[in-house]
Amino acid sequence: MQRIFHKTAIIGAGAWGTALAFTAAQGGADVVLWTNREVEAAIIRETRMGLRPVEGARPLPPNVLVSSDWADVAGADLVLVVVPSVVMRGVAESLGQVRLAEHAVVMNCSKGIEKDTNMLMSEILQEKLTCPVGALSGPNHAEDIVLGLPSLTLVGFADMEIAKAVQQRLSTEFFRIYTSTDVVGMQLGGALKNVFALACGICAGLGLGDNARAALATRGLAEMTRIGLARGGKIDTFMGLSGMGDLVVTCYSEHSRNLTAGRLIAKGVPLDECAQRVGQVVEGIPNTLSTYQLARKLDVRTPLIDGMYEVIYNGCPATDALAALMSRDLREEDVRN
């Protein structure tokens, strides 16, 4: 029997969370958009728009309740968690205290790896929750979604029947969803592409040309695949929406926060000022550290990630990191080693 969801809660009212609330509300079912700041909730309630409005965007439908009260999340049977990776653990602990519906499922929609523990976001959530936890990941910029432009994404759960139920619940005429059981691989694709998008921004900021950016994205995909396979992901996942698809859009779209931040880094702007100028969380910065740690733990060869770690965390000039990459020993192309 097909699982039916009656109440959906979106945890996190940033651009992506608001876009997912907009999408989830299309069928007319109850949706709660939760933020931990009442001042933000009040603005969204009044404007029916995201905190950073997109010109031409459709307003949030009336069936979206915007709240900063965890009590309004109670009873939800589908929960989408859309918060920065650095605060996921705290949010997971709070969500674990909420009385969800008896057969609730939770889905991580954030893209990151926790530093030091090397845990994926779904694994952090599963530590605090007893219900099934899956993930949503793909080439999805919120700006296109709130305009109702065609977008595709991937939903993954260990149980394919749950994935199919979520697919049915959230798919719309402009938001097409595919399913997977490779929850690990799809989250790694979503997290690692942030590092390579940041690198592409540096590449663009230095004026290195289209060939260099294409090469960086391609070799980034190889490193993503090597880490993913070592962590238990499936190679097909990295060739799909949450791997190559997310990598392409984040490395080339002008909506990309990581691309924008990389350009600023290339011009010598300090990291904290980069985040201020972008105005939103730049996941590629913390992801560079956590991805570097994971690669060392898995003993995977990752020259691009290593170079980005040197630039971001050890102050290495980007031009020196580039010279080191270009002067490495010549080798055969192979994504597996």
Side-chain angles (χ1 to χ4, degrees):
M1 182 171 136
Q2 179 72 43
R3 182 189 293 254
I4 303 295
F5 298 108
H6 301 285
K7 179 180 178 179
T8 300
I10 317 291
I11 309 302
W16 185 213
T18 304
L20 285 171
F22 170 76
T23 302
Q26 294 304 302
D30 291 339
V31 175
V32 176
L33 176 60
W34 180 91
T35 172
N36 67 335
R37 297 178 181 175
E38 176 54 30
V39 64
E40 292 182 352
I43 292 171
I44 298 171
R45 279 196 297 267
E46 181 179 352
T47 64
R48 307 307 293 177
M49 292 287 183
L51 296 170
R52 296 167 62 90
V54 176
E55 185 177 354
R58 304 179 193 178
L60 287 171
N63 53 313
V64 176
L65 169 66
V66 186
S67 174
S68 61
D69 189 344
W70 279 113
D72 288 322
V73 176
D77 47 16
L78 175 59
V79 181
L80 282 61
V81 184
V82 199
V83 299
S85 59
V86 293
V87 302
M88 179 61 80
R89 184 165 293 277
V91 170
E93 290 175 354
S94 295
L95 183 60
Q97 304 302 311
V98 177
R99 189 176 183 85
L100 301 176
E102 183 179 357
H103 299 293
V105 300
V106 173
M107 189 160 56
N108 164 53
C109 303
S110 302
K111 298 175 179 178
I113 302 167
E114 188 177 47
K115 72 171 185 174
D116 299 332
T117 70
N118 306 135
M119 293 176 69
L120 300 174
M121 298 297 102
S122 68
E123 293 169 339
I124 295 172
L125 286 165
Q126 195 67 80
E127 261 194 355
K128 307 298 180 182
L129 303 169
T130 58
C131 57
V133 176
L136 180 150
S137 184
N140 309 133
H141 279 147
E143 293 84 353
D144 285 358
I145 290 174
V146 295
L147 290 171
L149 298 175
S151 298
L152 278 66
T153 201
L154 184 66
V155 162
F157 281 87
D159 184 338
M160 178 56 82
E161 292 307 310
I162 296 178
K164 288 180 178 179
V166 175
Q167 176 188 46
Q168 290 295 322
R169 167 66 185 86
L170 296 179
S171 291
T172 73
E173 61 182 6
F174 60 85
F175 195 55
R176 181 176 173 84
I177 298 177
Y178 288 78
T179 57
S180 174
T181 56
D182 185 12
V183 181
V184 168
M186 59 187 289
Q187 288 182 97
L188 285 171
L192 270 62
K193 57 85 183 178
N194 289 324
V195 180
F196 304 123
L198 195 63
C200 271
I202 294 175
C203 191
L206 293 175
L208 300 182
D210 292 340
N211 292 350
R213 287 179 68 181
L216 194 156
T218 305
R219 297 312 301 163
L221 179 62
E223 293 190 16
M224 175 193 296
T225 303
R226 285 199 290 270
I227 290 177
L229 294 177
R231 186 63 161 74
K234 301 175 183 177
I235 192 167
D236 287 351
T237 302
F238 303 103
M239 302 303 113
L241 290 168
S242 66
M244 183 175 69
D246 206 358
L247 182 67
V248 168
V249 75
T250 314
C251 286
Y252 289 93
S253 170
E254 294 307 310
H255 295 314
S256 172
R257 290 172 261 171
N258 293 288
L259 184 70
T260 300
R263 286 185 170 130
L264 294 172
I265 291 170
K267 298 181 186 305
V269 177
L271 291 182
D272 55 352
E273 187 177 337
C274 285
Q276 290 175 2
R277 290 200 195 182
V278 172
Q280 300 180 72
V281 174
V282 180
E283 288 282 13
I285 294 174
N287 282 182
T288 295
L289 173 58
S290 55
T291 300
Y292 176 82
Q293 292 177 333
L294 178 61
R296 302 291 72 74
K297 180 179 180 179
L298 297 173
D299 193 24
V300 174
R301 185 175 61 84
T302 54
L304 285 176
I305 291 169
D306 298 354
M308 283 298 296
Y309 175 79
E310 292 300 320
V311 171
I312 301 300
Y313 288 95
N314 288 333
C316 175
T319 50
D320 290 357
L322 172 64
L325 284 168
M326 293 297 289
S327 61
R328 290 177 304 123
D329 291 342
L330 302 178
R331 59 189 304 123
E332 180 182 1
E333 182 179 45
D334 187 348
V335 301
R336 291 180 181 272
N337 57 60

